[in-house]
Amino acid sequence: MSNDALIILAIVSTMIWITVSKEATKPTKAVNKRKMITLLSAGTLSAILLTVSLFQHLLF
């Protein structure tokens, strides 16, 4: 991945995790479970992509 793509992915990932934390602080009955699962999945995927990319840049 290029550096520009990594920067964009990092910004998007940060925005996703901020949204997850805002959703998690809501009262239990107000939490939208579908939204939470979708956000957690997207956040996890973006974090994995960033981690793999980081290790690739460190190793080569």
Side-chain angles (χ1 to χ4, degrees), residues 14-27:
T14 303
M15 291 171 59
I16 290 171
W17 285 111
I18 289 171
T19 308
V20 168
S21 65
K22 285 182 181 179
E23 188 73 18
T25 57
K26 290 181 181 178

Side-chain angles (χ1 to χ4, degrees), residues 1-56:
M1 273 190 184
S2 69
N3 287 340
D4 292 338
L6 286 176
I7 291 170
I8 292 170
L9 182 61
I11 292 169
V12 170
S13 182
T14 303
M15 291 171 59
I16 290 171
W17 285 111
I18 289 171
T19 308
V20 168
S21 65
K22 285 182 181 179
E23 188 73 18
T25 57
K26 290 181 181 178
T28 306
K29 292 184 180 183
V31 174
N32 185 347
K33 291 180 184 179
R34 262 190 202 155
K35 181 179 179 182
M36 190 67 138
I37 290 171
T38 304
L39 287 170
L40 284 171
S41 299
T44 302
L45 180 64
S46 66
I48 289 171
L49 288 173
L50 285 169
T51 304
V52 167
S53 182
L54 172 69
F55 279 114
Q56 285 179 344

